[in-house]
Each structure stands twice: as structure tokens, then as C-alpha cells.
């Protein structure tokens, strides 16, 4: 059952002081068209029936919610893993791509573009384009192309054209810039599938509502396993799509404590991190007002700072506006974990449960001791495993080789 419930929006597209549409005038007609199409789709049972069918038959939903007995024993909690890594294409990204390609078909768009950091969203987009016979072009930072070679190969095998973006830090921020330029130029026949709860309205709402299937399933599955709601839920946060999907259906349940975990990179006391909520300020990035990492003084004041994370999917200097709102209102607690702590979390989950999670998800695993300390020992906690770690083996190998040199 689909009950997308806007949370915290005093007006459409606004989350308190955050959100909105800060784009070139040439994009406003397309955003108005997309807003109208999404409103119509949300109210159309036939859209959701088709979406559900593809989630079941293609993605393999519902994804499992499984006990993690050895990790639970080691940390002193009842940990329940939401296994988005078991979805077709290996992450939660496919939930959003299925819904957006169905929306693009309703709009009569004949070409799809997307940006990607870790490659998970790029692979999911390439997959749905292959399914629906749509040409697909993916923008990806050149640095991410290098550290996510497996996903680049997967996208190309699926028929997508991958553009390596060498500008700036050659990561997700720069890929998103190039995708927006493409969309401005080709907006008449092109739909841009944004992969996170970022960007101008209505994208944060669309992506949250399509990913909310994660939280709805987790609530129902936790009730079936424990007879009650979870005491807490944890997810990693870059742009924030997997966390928004898990949290949105839980936000109205005030008794559930929610924890987002950002990338602290080399440490919050250094310049090399991607912890936008922990260290950011209010600003505008990629069409929305939110928290961003930017220079705070000197000639470059206001300029976006290049973020750093060992995880390509968290290597972004902004965050979805609804996360900024949840932080401002105190509904969600945001923590941060370093590269080293994420690698340790990845290793711990692999050795205790036989699950090789993505580096993104490993940040959530690494934060569990602090979450358990806040919630109390023995309490059921849902941990979103947003993606699988195959794609990160090249990065992990390079890190280990550097450490042993």
C-alpha cells in the first residue's frame, strides 16, 4: 500500500527553511511539468500498481529484514538488517529508478540522463533504460570512474554511455553539474533521473516517496519479528536517499529514534570530510537550499568546498533539504564516522555475519556502538544495508596496499 506522506512541508517543496527551486529560468517549465505529473501519478492507483509489479518482479521486493545474531551478541543489541543490497542491481537505488522511468513514460520523454557517484544509481538507471528501451547517458566524476571500475563496466554492458567528468574534484558534485547542463540543453525530450533526495522541488519529494518502500517494509517486518516497532533505525547519509526512504514512514512514530551517519573522511577536525550536517552551513547547491560545505571566510567565501570520503556515494558537499529540516527540528540525530572507522565496520559485518556491505552502509554499521549507547542494550534496531560491497573492492585493496607500504 502506498501512502506517500509529505513530512515537514509547510508549503510544497519546502521543509522549514530548506528546499525550494533555485534554477535557471529555462528549467522552470520542466519543473512545473514534472511537479504536475508527479501529483497526478501519486493520486493514480494504476501508477502504484505498475510500480509495485516491477518492484516485485524485477527488484525482488520485499527485501529481507534479517536478524544479525553474531553482530548483535558482539555489540549488545538486537540488530535487524534491512537488506537493500539483495535487490536487483545491488542497492536501494533501483526503487527510485523504476518509479522515475514510469514517470518519464507518462511525460512522453524519450531520453534519460543521470549522474552517479558510487555507480549504484548509474547501474540502476542503465538497467531500467535497457528494460524500457530508452537511450541512457550517465555523468560520473573521473575520480569515481577510476575507483568504481566494476560499476562503469556494468553500465556500459547495459547499453549506457558513461561520461567521465574531469572538472572540479571529479566526483559526484561535478557529475551533477554536468547532468544539469545537459538537462537545460535537452529538456524538451529528456528526463533527468536524480538519484538522491537532493536538487530542486519536486525531486526531493519524488525520491523520498519512491524510497519510502524501505521504511514501510521495515516497520511491518519488525512488527512480525518482534511484535512491536523498532526502538531505533540507522542509515548512512550522503545526499540521503536511503536514509530518507527508511526514516520517512518512521518520523510520525516519535518513539522510534532515528540516526543518520555522515562521512567524516579523515576526521571532522580536518578539511577532508563530507559531513555536511555536522560541519555545513545554510546555502544553495544544485537547485535547493540546504546545508552545504563552503568557504566561510576570505576571497572564496561562499564557494563550495571539495568534500572527501573513501565512499564515492557519500562524497557530496550537500544533503537533501528534508534531512536539514530533520536536523534543525531534532527529529533525527546525525553522527559521523571516518574512513578508517567505516572500513572497520565493513570488516566487522563481513567477518561476523558473512555480509560484504558497501562502504556507504559501513558508516552506519560503524556508528552502532554510539546508537546502542543512546538507545540501551538489547533493544531492536533496524540498520539499513543500502548496497553491496563488490564495487568497493578496488578501493579497499588500494587502501590496504597504501597502509602496508
Amino acid at each position: 500500500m502506498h501512502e506517500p506522506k509529505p513530512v515537514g512541508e509547510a508549503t510544497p517543496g519546502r521543509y522549514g527553511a530548506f528546499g525550494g527551486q533555485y534554477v535557471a529560468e529555462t528549467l522552470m517549465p520542466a519543473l512545473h511539468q514534472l511537479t504536475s505529473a508527479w501529483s497526478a501519478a501519486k493520486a493514480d492507483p494504476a501508477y502504484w500498481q505498475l510500480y509495485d509489479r516491477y518492484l516485485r518482479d524485477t527488484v525482488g521486493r520485499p527485501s529481507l529484514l534479517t536478524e544479525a545474531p553474531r553482530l548483535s551478541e558482539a555489540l549488545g543489541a538486537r540488530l535487524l538488517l534491512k537488506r537493500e543490497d539483495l535487490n536487483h542491481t545491488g542497492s536501494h537505488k533501483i526503487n527510485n529508478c523504476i518509479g522515475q522511468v514510469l514517470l518519464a513514460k507518462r511525460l512522453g520523454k524519450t531520453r534519460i540522463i543521470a549522474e552517479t557517484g558510487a555507480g549504484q544509481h548509474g547501474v540502476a538507471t542503465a538497467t531500467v533504460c535497457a528494460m524500457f528501451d530508452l537511450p541512457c547517458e550517465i555523468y560520473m566524476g573521473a575520480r569515481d570512474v577510476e575507483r568504481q571500475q566494476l560499476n562503469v563496466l556494468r553500465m556500459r554492458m547495459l547499453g549506457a554511455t558513461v561520461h567521465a567528468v574531469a572538472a572540479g574534484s571529479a566526483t559526484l558534485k561535478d557529475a551533477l553539474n554536468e547532468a544539469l547542463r545537459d538537462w537545460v540543453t535537452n529538456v524538451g525530450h529528456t528526463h533527468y533521473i536524480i538519484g538522491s533526495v537532493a536538487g530542486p522541488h519536486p525531486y526531493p519529494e519524488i525520491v523520498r516517496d519512491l524510497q519510502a518502500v524501505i521504511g514501510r517494509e521495515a516497520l511491518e517486518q519488525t512488527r512480525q519479528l518482534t511484535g512491536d516497532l523498532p526502538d531505533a533505525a540507522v542509515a548512512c547519509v550522503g545526499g540521503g536517499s536511503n536514509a530518507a526512504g527508511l526514516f520517512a514512514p518512521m518520523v510520525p512514530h516519535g518513539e522510534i529514534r532515528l540516526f543518520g551517519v555522515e562521512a567524516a573522511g579523515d576526521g571532522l577536525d580536518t578539511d577532508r570530510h563530507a559531513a555536511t550536517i555536522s560541519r555545513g552551513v545554510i546555502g544553495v547547491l544544485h537547485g535547493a537550499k540546504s546545508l552545504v560545505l563552503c568557504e566561510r571566510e576570505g576571497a572564496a567565501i561562499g564557494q563550495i568546498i571539495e568534500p572527501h570520503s573513501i565512499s564515492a556515494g557519500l562524497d557530496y558537499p550537500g544533503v537533501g533539504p528534508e534531512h536539514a529540516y530533520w536536523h534543525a527540528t531534532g527529529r533525527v540525530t546525525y553522527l559521523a564516522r571516518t574512513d578508517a572507522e567505516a572500513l572497520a565496520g565493513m570488516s566487522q559485518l563481513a567477518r561476523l555475519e558473512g555480509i560484504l556491505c558497501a562502504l556507504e552502509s559501513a558508516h552506519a554499521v560503524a556508528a552502532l556502538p554510539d546508537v546502542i549507547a543512546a538507545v540501551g542494550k538489547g533493544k531492536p534496531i533496524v540498520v539499513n544495508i543500502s548496497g553491496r560491497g563488490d564495487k568497493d573492492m578496488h578501493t579497499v585493496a588500494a587502501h590496504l596496499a597504501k597502509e602496508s607500504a
Side-chain angles (χ1 to χ4, degrees), residues 122-123 126 138 140 145 149-164:
V123 169
I138 306 290
M140 190 170 187
V145 167
Q149 296 174 17
L150 176 60
N151 274 343
V152 174
L153 178 60
R154 293 170 73 194
M155 285 182 262
R156 288 174 173 155
M157 288 291 292
L158 288 160
T161 299
V162 180
H163 300 284

Side-chain angles (χ1 to χ4, degrees), residues 105-264:
K105 297 286 283 184
R106 290 170 72 107
L107 286 163
K109 304 291 185 179
T110 57
R111 175 177 177 261
I112 300 293
I113 61 170
E115 89 298 330
T116 192
Q120 293 172 315
H121 176 57
V123 169
T125 302
T127 298
V128 297
C129 286
M131 290 167 55
F132 288 87
D133 192 25
L134 289 166
C136 176
E137 299 192 34
I138 306 290
Y139 291 90
M140 190 170 187
R143 183 173 164 227
D144 292 338
V145 167
E146 176 62 27
R147 58 180 173 171
Q148 300 291 342
Q149 296 174 17
L150 176 60
N151 274 343
V152 174
L153 178 60
R154 293 170 73 194
M155 285 182 262
R156 288 174 173 155
M157 288 291 292
L158 288 160
T161 299
V162 180
H163 300 284
V165 178
S169 60
T171 57
L172 179 58
K173 166 180 70 71
D174 311 291
L176 212 149
N177 286 339
E178 289 304 314
L180 281 170
R181 290 190 185 99
D182 183 318
W183 198 34
V184 169
T185 306
N186 302 291
V187 69
H189 67 293
T190 296
H191 178 66
Y192 177 14
I193 299 184
I194 290 183
S196 195
V197 285
H201 176 68
Y203 278 108
E205 177 185 316
I206 291 173
V207 178
R208 177 202 65 200
D209 289 349
L210 293 172
Q211 293 292 3
V213 64
I214 302 171
R216 287 195 300 271
E217 286 180 2
L219 285 174
E220 177 58 29
Q221 291 165 324
T222 303
R223 285 192 184 99
Q224 291 174 3
L225 278 171
T226 71
D228 204 346
L229 297 173
D231 281 68
V234 190
C236 64
V237 176
S241 66
N242 89 93
L246 180 67
F247 294 165
M250 297 184 182
V251 163
H253 299 278
E255 66 272 37
I256 304 176
R257 297 189 63 176
L258 304 173
F259 295 86
V261 187
E262 300 189 289

Side-chain angles (χ1 to χ4, degrees), residues 83 86 126 226 274 322 342 378 391:
R83 299 292 307 277
L86 297 180
T226 71
E322 194 162 15
K391 66 181 181 58

Side-chain angles (χ1 to χ4, degrees), residues 237-289:
V237 176
S241 66
N242 89 93
L246 180 67
F247 294 165
M250 297 184 182
V251 163
H253 299 278
E255 66 272 37
I256 304 176
R257 297 189 63 176
L258 304 173
F259 295 86
V261 187
E262 300 189 289
D266 289 347
L268 294 181
D269 55 346
T270 75
D271 293 331
R272 284 171 51 81
H273 61 77
T276 308
I277 293 177
S278 300
R279 289 292 185 270
V281 297
I282 294 177
V284 172
L285 179 64
H286 296 139
K289 181 185 286 186

